[in-house]
Amino acid sequence: MNEINLGIYNEMLRYERDMDKLRALALWITTYDYQRVIPGLINPREYVFTLIKHYSEKFAEDILEFGRISANTIDLFHSSLFSINKLLGITEEDIQRASELQRYRNSGFWEMRRVIGQFSDVAEEVVNDGVTHIITAAVSGCIIGEYLGKILAIKFNKPYPIDHMVFTRQGINPVKGLLPEKLQLQGDHILIVDDAVMETRTAVVMLETIWEMAPDDKVSLLTVDIDPDTRQSGFLDRFYKVYLFEE
């Protein structure tokens, strides 16, 4: 793959701190106490899921239109996160912890820009293979999945349901996947999207979560980065199809 250009790298540095705030929100979902009342929010957990989806969609739209995240979007993103984190009582320590719990600190949705030209071909494969629902790994995988959704909607006139999974963790290891409360999987071919599969932990949790909901569904995988050991381990045989990008 090509190296990320300097402009994208500088963009990453500008908003990475805010991305850590979004990661803190995703982590907050997994520890939310349903008995806790938060003024102004009827269902705080679902509101946070909605916020994650809103900005994932907006980032994807910007990348599609401008090739980058616009300054206006970053400003709105920053303001929204400041307000909701304050309302939920998320501290600087929580934000730092969320950053440290990333399994792959050098990975991220900006990596997709290295292979952006291949998304149209992948989208065509997804349509031909009959994928019916897209589930992403929060938070970097969210933007990749939403970007794919934009291509599917524009090029193939195929709007897809796209939802985002957050993870309860033991240390940095995901142990349980959580989805929005009222989510129902559409169809029988689910595509899970993650930015990087450098081992099997996250993908296993996603696979098990989906099969617990729909044991007979086909599950495929899309990822931007995958390490050679995982590629050759036999783990990928568990998926109906694996969509990878050429290096």
Side-chain angles (χ1 to χ4, degrees), residues 198-218:
M198 300 302 182
E199 41 66 72
T200 62
R201 291 183 184 272
T202 303
V204 162
V205 171
M206 296 186 77
L207 198 57
E208 291 176 347
T209 301
I210 290 168
W211 275 340
E212 185 176 338
M213 299 170 67
D216 298 324
D217 279 10
K218 294 174 291 199

Side-chain angles (χ1 to χ4, degrees), residues 104 197-200 226-236:
Y104 305 109
V197 179
M198 300 302 182
E199 41 66 72
T200 62
I226 186 167
D227 78 279
D229 288 343
T230 299
R231 190 190 291 256
Q232 298 169 14
S233 68
F235 169 72
L236 299 182

Side-chain angles (χ1 to χ4, degrees), residues 188-204:
D188 65 354
H189 188 178
I190 313 304
L191 175 64
I192 66 175
V193 177
D194 198 0
D195 60 318
V197 179
M198 300 302 182
E199 41 66 72
T200 62
R201 291 183 184 272
T202 303
V204 162

Side-chain angles (χ1 to χ4, degrees), residues 5-247:
N5 69 43
L6 184 59
I8 293 173
Y9 179 75
N10 288 336
E11 177 193 23
M12 177 191 76
L13 294 180
R14 286 198 302 274
Y15 59 58
E16 183 62 7
R17 178 60 176 169
D18 283 337
M19 288 300 294
D20 284 343
K21 294 177 183 177
L22 193 61
R23 293 180 182 105
L25 279 175
L27 195 60
W28 179 90
I29 289 175
T30 68
T31 60
Y32 170 59
D33 178 0
Y34 282 87
Q35 301 302 312
R36 180 185 173 194
V37 176
I38 299 176
L41 294 180
I42 296 175
N43 190 330
R45 181 181 182 273
E46 295 307 295
Y47 176 80
V48 174
F49 268 117
T50 300
L51 193 69
I52 291 171
K53 181 167 180 63
H54 171 76
Y55 279 104
S56 298
E57 286 184 315
K58 182 59 181 166
F59 279 23
E61 288 172 2
D62 278 10
I63 293 170
L64 186 61
E65 183 173 359
F66 309 116
R68 59 179 175 79
I69 312 301
S70 71
N72 183 58
T73 295
I74 292 174
D75 288 344
L76 291 172
F77 184 52
H78 180 85
S79 297
S80 294
L81 291 177
F82 177 82
S83 299
I84 190 63
N85 283 355
K86 184 175 181 180
L87 182 62
L88 299 179
I90 294 174
T91 66
E92 288 297 317
E93 288 76 15
D94 295 327
I95 295 167
Q96 181 62 32
R97 177 169 177 264
S99 177
E100 292 170 352
L101 287 179
Q102 295 178 77
R103 288 196 61 80
Y104 305 109
R105 297 178 62 83
N106 292 327
S107 194
F109 70 86
W110 50 85
E111 301 281 351
M112 67 187 279
R113 254 75 67 85
R114 300 180 309 179
V115 295
I116 204 79
Q118 298 180 45
F119 269 81
S120 183
D121 291 338
V122 170
E124 185 172 357
E125 290 186 61
V126 165
V127 171
N128 291 339
D129 294 335
V131 167
T132 55
H133 200 142
I134 297 171
I135 303 291
T136 81
V139 296
S140 290
C142 300
I143 296 91
I144 297 170
E146 293 288 355
Y147 184 86
L148 176 65
K150 300 298 178 189
I151 299 295
L152 289 163
I154 292 169
K155 183 173 180 178
F156 300 101
N157 195 30
K158 294 278 289 186
Y160 278 76
I162 302 174
D163 292 282
H164 308 299
M165 186 182 296
V166 301
F167 303 96
T168 301
R169 297 177 182 272
Q170 290 180 353
I172 66 171
N173 295 325
V175 294
K176 182 179 180 181
L178 299 176
L179 289 161
E181 285 179 359
K182 297 181 181 180
L183 181 142
Q184 292 185 335
L185 294 174
Q186 304 298 306
D188 65 354
H189 188 178
I190 313 304
L191 175 64
I192 66 175
V193 177
D194 198 0
D195 60 318
V197 179
M198 300 302 182
E199 41 66 72
T200 62
R201 291 183 184 272
T202 303
V204 162
V205 171
M206 296 186 77
L207 198 57
E208 291 176 347
T209 301
I210 290 168
W211 275 340
E212 185 176 338
M213 299 170 67
D216 298 324
D217 279 10
K218 294 174 291 199
V219 181
S220 293
L221 169 70
L222 180 150
T223 186
V224 173
D225 281 332
I226 186 167
D227 78 279
D229 288 343
T230 299
R231 190 190 291 256
Q232 298 169 14
S233 68
F235 169 72
L236 299 182
D237 295 340
R238 301 180 67 179
F239 294 96
Y240 178 79
K241 185 166 181 178
V242 178
Y243 302 92
L244 302 175
F245 297 86
E246 294 182 9
E247 300 187 10

